[in-house]
Amino acid sequence: MGIRIEPMAPADIAGCVELEQLLFPEDDPWQAVSFHSELSARYNRYITARDESGRMVGYAGIALLGDAEHPEAEVHTIGVDPACHRAGIGTILLEALLAEAGRRGGPVFLEVRTDNAPAIALYAKHGFHIIGLRKNYYHPSGADAYTMRRPALEDVPAGVVPRTPDGVLS
């Protein structure tokens, strides 16, 4: 399956809302207003993954925070159409976000449900480590979340090789 990564456009929001309903029904899925707000923030980057036919099969977003001297980033969301799970789309989206963050440097943070073993494994494979626990983070389900951190690239432990979508660090 060939996947194309593109910047998210306002026209993509309806599809994102549909996927949110499928992926996160118990945890207050984002509504259109949330995506519009995220797209309008100058420090956010949101992307979509499309299959060969142009159908959106996933989306992701990151906030590029801090300043040039003390940059950091925070992964806001990654969502993949359930019909496409286990096809590597989550990895492609994460690597695109990490490439964006890598251009600025600094650590990258995220939150993930403690019961989402596939996502935790994906993040660990890309150099993230659990640094904290947020009790009752997701609402209304009350599910807990781990806070995970990937160090700045120059601080990545030996043996962990962050990759960009094309497999080459820039």
Side-chain angles (χ1 to χ4, degrees):
M1 172 187 299
I3 297 296
R4 188 174 70 247
I5 300 296
E6 298 177 348
M8 186 183 290
D12 297 318
I13 291 175
C16 292
V17 170
E18 286 179 32
L19 284 177
E20 282 277 314
Q21 297 292 330
L22 288 172
L23 295 167
F24 311 113
E26 72 282 356
D27 280 321
D28 196 22
W30 284 13
Q31 300 300 311
V33 67
S34 298
F35 281 101
H36 281 288
S37 176
E38 292 297 306
L39 280 179
S40 69
R42 66 176 179 78
Y43 50 84
N44 288 344
R45 304 292 182 271
Y46 276 72
I47 57 176
T48 60
R50 298 186 184 284
D51 65 14
E52 297 95 350
S53 71
R55 182 176 69 93
M56 187 179 69
V57 294
Y59 60 89
I62 193 167
L64 303 172
L65 306 168
D67 58 26
E69 190 174 333
H70 299 98
E72 66 179 61
E74 180 180 29
V75 174
H76 283 178
T77 189
I78 297 176
V80 176
D81 185 327
C84 300
H85 280 181
R86 310 294 304 160
I89 297 167
T91 297
I92 293 168
L93 287 164
L94 177 61
E95 290 176 354
L97 295 181
L98 294 177
E100 185 76 30
R103 286 191 266 286
R104 296 181 71 238
V108 181
F109 297 87
L110 59 81
E111 273 80 33
V112 61
R113 280 179 68 119
T114 57
D115 61 357
N116 190 344
I120 293 166
L122 172 65
Y123 300 142
K125 181 177 162 185
H126 285 81
F128 284 85
H129 303 279
I130 295 170
I131 61 168
L133 175 68
R134 293 187 172 207
K135 300 293 281 175
N136 302 310
Y137 181 77
Y138 293 98
H139 296 280
S141 72
D144 297 338
Y146 289 127
T147 298
M148 298 184 79
R149 177 182 183 268
R150 186 195 76 172
L153 290 180
E154 64 271 11
D155 298 332
V156 173
V160 176
V161 181
R163 300 179 310 171
T164 62
D166 61 4
V168 178
L169 288 175
S170 51

